[in-house]
Amino acid sequence: MMNRLRDLREDADLTQTQVAKFLGMSQTGYSKYETGENDIPTRVLIQLAKFYHTSIDYILCVSDKRTPL
């Protein structure tokens, strides 16, 4: 999952700081999601899926299909 978050962010040419700002959190807090140090709350997963126009299943590596249902 960590690689998916980083890949989505990098594909969008965004920094961790920019994504963290969108989520209303610190860069350090967001970084812990990307590294797998902290689990991502459901609310944040939903926000990220909407932000990147993808499915939660893709973010969680349940599916390799990037497009939402």
Side-chain angles (χ1 to χ4, degrees), residues 1-6 16 28-40 59-60:
M1 173 176 60
M2 294 84 59
N3 291 336
R4 288 272 167 97
L5 282 180
R6 186 189 69 230
Q16 286 184 348
T28 305
Y30 175 76
S31 174
K32 290 179 180 184
Y33 296 153
E34 280 197 11
T35 63
E37 189 174 336
N38 286 352
D39 289 332
I40 305 173
I59 293 172
L60 296 176

Side-chain angles (χ1 to χ4, degrees), residues 14-66:
L14 297 169
T15 65
Q16 286 184 348
T17 302
Q18 290 170 310
V19 177
K21 184 176 180 180
F22 167 77
L23 295 172
M25 62 187 310
S26 70
Q27 178 274 328
T28 305
Y30 175 76
S31 174
K32 290 179 180 184
Y33 296 153
E34 280 197 11
T35 63
E37 189 174 336
N38 286 352
D39 289 332
I40 305 173
T42 303
R43 173 189 60 80
V44 175
L45 276 172
I46 293 167
Q47 287 179 296
L48 288 168
K50 288 179 180 180
F51 183 71
Y52 290 122
H53 305 287
T54 192
S55 68
I56 292 172
D57 285 350
Y58 181 78
I59 293 172
L60 296 176
C61 299
V62 173
S63 171
D64 288 329
K65 294 183 181 182
R66 199 166 175 168

